[in-house]
Amino acid sequence: MDSPAAQFIDHTLRSEASEWRTWANGDPSVGGLGVYGASVGAIRGTVRDALRRHRDLQHDDITALASELWATPVFERRLAAIVLLQGQTDLLTGNDLTRIEGFLRDARVPELIQPLTLDVVRPLLARLTGVEADRAQRIVARWATSDADSLRAAAALL
């Protein structure tokens, strides 16, 4: 069962849907993901509104919300998870790379891989220092030789 924040995001994305955008629902062009038909602007606005409604979200709440959104194989929910993390990169730690790696493994399309890598992983890596930075670099180096195309693509972007 989704948290109140995830329920709000899902409900709002569904209500922001435009029928003409749903042509790709389940299509290979979106990696077989479901599509609600919400615009990128609607996704960004919905995440912003969710954060205003739920101002008390801390690190664990943010990462759990991102996981909740990602768990349902719908393009807009997954993009909302990325938008959420993009705005909260200062809260993320090197330990969050494990969760992000899972997201990347199942990202399926460049439209999810690129923003997750460039706007979440890259700033996170730039902020890490010491042992945490060394560990993160080893993780990313492992991505470069992974059997998952999406992880290799992410490593190439870094």
Side-chain angles (χ1 to χ4, degrees):
M1 175 104 174
D2 280 342
S3 67
Q7 288 175 10
F8 170 80
I9 290 171
D10 188 79
H11 174 76
T12 305
L13 292 177
R14 287 175 188 263
S15 67
E16 290 285 338
S18 172
E19 190 173 320
W20 68 269
R21 286 191 187 101
T22 62
W23 67 268
N25 191 36
D27 192 77
S29 67
V30 289
L33 295 171
V35 173
Y36 289 164
S39 70
V40 173
I43 295 167
R44 291 188 181 288
T46 298
V47 171
R48 182 187 61 239
D49 291 347
L51 289 172
R52 285 183 184 148
R53 284 175 170 250
H54 303 277
R55 294 182 187 273
D56 59 337
L57 297 179
Q58 301 299 315
H59 171 270
D60 291 350
D61 306 309
I62 294 292
T63 56
L65 177 55
S67 290
E68 282 182 277
L69 292 169
W70 197 274
T72 301
V74 171
F75 181 82
E76 289 87 348
R77 283 180 61 113
R78 290 185 173 190
L79 189 54
I82 294 169
V83 169
L84 174 68
L85 294 175
Q86 286 172 334
Q88 306 298 316
T89 55
D90 289 348
L91 292 178
L92 300 178
T93 70
N95 290 333
D96 295 316
L97 280 174
T98 303
R99 181 184 314 260
I100 294 168
E101 179 176 332
F103 292 170
L104 284 167
R105 280 188 181 278
D106 195 28
R108 303 185 191 184
V109 291
E111 293 80 8
L112 296 174
I113 295 167
Q114 290 171 355
L116 187 55
T117 303
L118 298 176
D119 301 334
V120 178
V121 175
R122 184 181 280 172
L124 172 59
L125 294 176
R127 215 173 26 75
L128 298 177
T129 60
V131 173
E132 197 174 39
D134 293 341
R135 179 180 169 272
Q137 289 303 323
R138 284 193 306 275
I139 290 170
V140 171
R142 183 176 33 111
W143 293 356
T145 60
S146 172
D147 61 345
D149 293 342
S150 55
L151 287 177
R152 288 193 311 275
L157 290 170
L158 297 169

